[in-house]
Amino acid sequence: MGGVRELAAPFVVPGPSGVAVRDRLKHLTSQDERVLRAVGEHQGRLASRDLKARCADGLEHSADTWASRKRDLTKESSSRIAGAITKATHDQWALARRCQAAHIQTLEAGIRTLRHRLSLPVGEPGTKRAAGGYRSRSEWFRKSRRLAALEARHAAVVADRQAGRVRVVRGGRRLLNTRHHLAEAGLTEDQWRQRWEAERWFIAADGESGKRFGNETIRVTPDGEVSIRLPAPLAHLANAGHGRYVLASRIAFAHRGAEWADRIAANRAVAYRIHLNVDRGRWYLTASWQRPVVKTMTLSAARARGMIGVDTNADHFAAYRLDRHGNPIGDPHHFPYDLSGTAGHRDAQLRHALTRLIHWARQAGVAAIGIEDLDFTTEKTREKHGRRKRFRQLISGIPTGKLKARLVSMAAEHGLAIVAVDPAYTSLWGAQHWQKPLATPRRTMSRHDAAGIAIGRRALGHPVRRRTAPPPHDRSDRAGHRTAQAEPGTRGREGTRPPATDRPPAGPSPNGTRTREPSASNTARDAPGTQQWVQDSLTHTG
């Protein structure tokens, strides 16, 4: 198959390794809110200062510089708070480095595309696999300027990466840019300032196994009492012993509450974070902890009871159930979602669609869900898709990263495995081999439904095509058997017909109807021979 790239082998995705639950801090007094704001503002300043120092160290960072920064922070807080701040700083710096590497890859992809198209004659048509030349000399000139700009930007980013420089904004770059577009965002300066300050606060503490209730800085007792160890400069605000402040609110985690209670009863580590939702004016407490990586089932065990292949689209999941031989069962299922609106709305829509998908998978009795291992990092550049702005927006709106995380964690709770497959050619080959054969007057097959079958068959280890071409010339087997068929002996009704002496005599059946004795065949194929030919199943298997 010339021009077809080598496909990656399917694999079972490892299960989740962490848990996070959240509950609202209700009935806080005005004094509670003043203390929380003071703690968040004070520790937020320390976190900003520590991040600045970490970015200044760059690639020269070492364990000694880390210890030095932690000692400086301990003087103005505590050793545990200083440890939480420095750890958060390192995580943020590492995330910025990963984003920097992804940005370099995106720039390189755009530069390659521009160089290729600029090297072609003006007006040369493209192919399905590669774009052609630009339409006019003026467009060629504009793209040459675009290439120069991308090359300059790429050189600057590469220089930053080699020097260990990263660009980090505590509070978020998007919120920072909103400051210059308050009218478009529908915010006043005071409203923006409140959001900005709340995002830069730091009220968090890492858990410690062996300590009382798993955390010494932010402690939550089994009955829901929340207390905070205040930093040294704010110790005068304490209302309990040992420099602690006890909130008037009580929490009770509705989700995973029993698991959380078991952990704190055994004094196992639980990390906590307190934050303010400025729009709603509500305070929340988030508890998180690590758990042993869920041991996923083997690939053969995941395939034993069939598979549900899922094609991810911009507005719905197209799913199809297949048996272990790769045969489609029943009708396609669609699970729609709407990714417009706020981030909260999009997340809720995605969770609802995944919940329905997982419930259907459990009802179907399968052990795994097959899904494409999508990554649109190099597919969203305007150099690749040119004027197809709506298509770029379409693929940019598909939440591939969040989808993977959500699906893996939710499926693990229901005992389902996730099998990731190479996404290459699933829509093309699915439509070619499955869309038309499965379409009936009562069943409408879309390209996405056919892609779901292709994904499921690839996850099961079968080729996407239904079966090999039948033998030529006539219906005999002299040209050879089909090469991609079901395993022998899997379907009893496809075995050899028993001889007539073993059949029950013709006559009325127990329900009163008369049975018809089969007539003898006069074809040469039924004549006895010295060699017995065995033909495997010719159903839609692969």
Side-chain angles (χ1 to χ4, degrees):
M1 301 175 66
V4 177
R5 70 171 177 84
E6 184 179 356
L7 302 179
F11 62 93
V12 179
V13 181
S17 59
V19 175
V21 293
R22 188 180 70 173
D23 191 29
R24 181 184 171 188
L25 293 171
K26 301 180 181 179
H27 312 300
L28 291 175
T29 65
S30 57
Q31 178 63 17
D32 292 341
E33 294 196 14
R34 283 195 294 269
V35 171
L36 290 177
R37 289 175 182 272
V39 172
E41 183 179 355
H42 174 74
Q43 296 182 169
R45 285 197 301 267
L46 299 181
S48 299
R49 190 176 69 190
D50 185 65
L51 181 61
K52 180 181 178 180
R54 175 64 187 90
C55 292
D57 290 341
L59 300 179
E60 302 299 326
H61 170 262
S62 63
D64 294 336
T65 58
W66 189 345
S68 176
R69 294 193 348 257
K70 185 177 178 180
R71 285 194 296 269
D72 295 339
L73 294 174
T74 302
K75 300 175 183 177
E76 302 184 53
S77 55
S78 68
S79 61
R80 291 187 175 90
I81 294 176
I85 290 176
T86 54
K87 182 179 181 300
T89 296
H90 283 277
D91 292 342
Q92 196 167 8
W93 188 87
L95 176 61
R97 288 280 290 182
R98 293 195 298 271
C99 293
Q100 189 180 58
H103 183 47
I104 291 175
Q105 293 179 0
T106 303
L107 292 174
E108 290 175 348
I111 290 172
R112 284 194 303 268
T113 303
L114 286 172
R115 286 176 177 173
H116 168 72
R117 299 193 67 182
L118 289 172
S119 66
L120 300 176
V122 175
E124 179 171 332
T127 63
K128 291 184 177 180
R129 301 186 180 276
Y134 290 107
R135 299 182 182 182
S136 62
R137 292 294 303 176
S138 60
E139 185 178 9
W140 187 96
F141 176 77
R142 291 195 300 270
K143 292 302 181 180
S144 66
R145 296 298 87 200
R146 169 76 176 169
L147 175 61
L150 290 186
E151 288 176 340
R153 195 181 306 171
H154 176 266
V157 178
V158 169
D160 285 346
R161 184 166 183 81
Q162 293 175 349
R165 289 189 297 268
V166 296
R167 316 292 178 176
V168 185
V169 178
R170 287 201 70 248
R173 183 173 300 177
R174 178 174 298 180
L175 184 58
L176 177 63
N177 292 335
T178 304
R179 174 64 180 84
H180 307 288
H181 307 280
L182 296 178
E184 292 83 346
L187 298 174
T188 64
E189 185 175 350
D190 292 339
Q191 292 173 337
W192 177 88
R193 179 66 60 182
Q194 292 177 5
R195 291 188 181 186
W196 176 250
E197 293 176 351
E199 289 294 330
R200 291 168 63 87
W201 290 343
F202 187 92
I203 315 178
D206 298 330
E208 298 175 88
S209 294
K211 299 298 181 180
R212 189 180 181 188
F213 304 131
N215 199 309
E216 283 287 347
T217 304
I218 301 178
R219 181 182 297 166
V220 183
T221 62
D223 60 354
E225 181 185 88
V226 182
S227 63
I228 303 174
R229 176 66 181 271
L230 298 177
L234 301 178
H236 62 280
L237 299 176
N239 60 0
H242 306 286
R244 307 191 69 88
Y245 186 90
V246 180
L247 301 177
S249 176
R250 300 278 175 159
I251 63 101
F253 295 108
H255 180 57
R256 299 183 184 274
E259 185 177 354
W260 167 80
D262 292 341
R263 289 192 66 88
I264 65 171
N267 295 330
R268 300 177 63 187
V270 180
Y272 294 105
R273 173 177 175 263
I274 299 176
H275 70 281
L276 170 65
N277 187 319
V278 178
D279 295 336
R280 296 185 175 184
R282 298 176 178 178
W283 291 85
Y284 294 93
L285 183 140
T286 302
S288 58
W289 59 89
Q290 292 183 343
R291 62 195 306 187
V293 177
V294 177
K295 185 178 180 180
T296 55
M297 63 182 70
T298 62
L299 189 58
S300 58
R303 294 169 171 173
R305 290 184 287 169
M307 187 79 60
I308 287 181
V310 180
D311 181 48
T312 305
N313 302 284
D315 57 353
H316 74 284
F317 296 123
Y320 221 118
R321 180 188 173 193
L322 296 88
D323 63 16
R324 65 188 184 94
H325 304 292
N327 299 316
I329 300 176
D331 295 324
H333 285 64
H334 294 167
F335 303 95
Y337 48 80
D338 180 16
L339 296 182
S340 62
T342 62
H345 174 263
R346 295 194 300 269
D347 188 58
Q349 288 281 311
L350 195 63
R351 283 188 282 109
H352 179 61
L354 291 176
T355 300
R356 294 174 58 200
L357 171 63
I358 291 173
H359 286 175
W360 176 57
R362 293 189 63 191
Q363 294 173 2
V366 300
I369 296 174
I371 195 167
E372 296 171 304
D373 188 12
L374 294 174
D375 185 8
F376 294 130
T377 302
T378 61
E379 300 294 328
K380 294 183 290 189
T381 60
R382 79 184 197 191
E383 284 73 29
K384 181 177 180 62
H385 299 290
R387 296 178 176 86
R388 302 169 65 187
K389 186 175 181 179
R390 291 191 62 185
F391 182 74
R392 298 205 314 268
Q393 293 174 345
L394 181 69
I395 61 177
S396 298
I398 299 179
T400 55
K402 184 173 292 187
L403 169 63
K404 294 175 185 177
R406 288 284 186 193
L407 181 58
V408 170
S409 61
M410 295 173 67
E413 296 301 318
H414 295 276
L416 295 174
I418 302 299
V419 180
V421 303
D422 195 313
Y425 316 112
T426 53
S427 297
L428 177 65
W429 291 351
Q432 179 182 354
H433 297 290
W434 291 98
Q435 185 174 4
K436 185 176 179 180
L438 290 183
T440 66
R442 295 188 178 182
R443 181 197 292 144
T444 302
M445 286 288 296
S446 68
R447 186 182 182 92
H448 306 300
D449 300 330
I453 298 176
I455 294 168
R457 288 179 65 85
R458 187 170 288 175
L460 288 167
H462 299 301
V464 172
R465 65 186 306 170
R466 294 164 57 225
R467 57 186 179 184
T468 59
H473 310 306
D474 51 38
R475 298 178 63 184
S476 67
D477 294 327
R478 64 169 172 256
H481 294 286
R482 295 175 174 87
T483 58
Q485 300 177 12
E487 299 174 359
T490 56
R491 293 183 179 266
R493 66 173 180 268
E494 294 172 352
T496 57
R497 180 178 295 178
T501 56
D502 295 339
R503 299 194 189 100
S509 61
N511 57 7
T513 60
R514 184 175 180 82
T515 59
R516 176 178 174 272
E517 184 176 359
S519 60
S521 174
N522 296 324
T523 61
R525 195 182 293 271
D526 294 326
T530 58
Q531 183 177 4
Q532 182 180 3
W533 294 87
V534 178
Q535 177 71 27
D536 291 340
S537 167
L538 300 182
T539 57
H540 292 174
T541 58

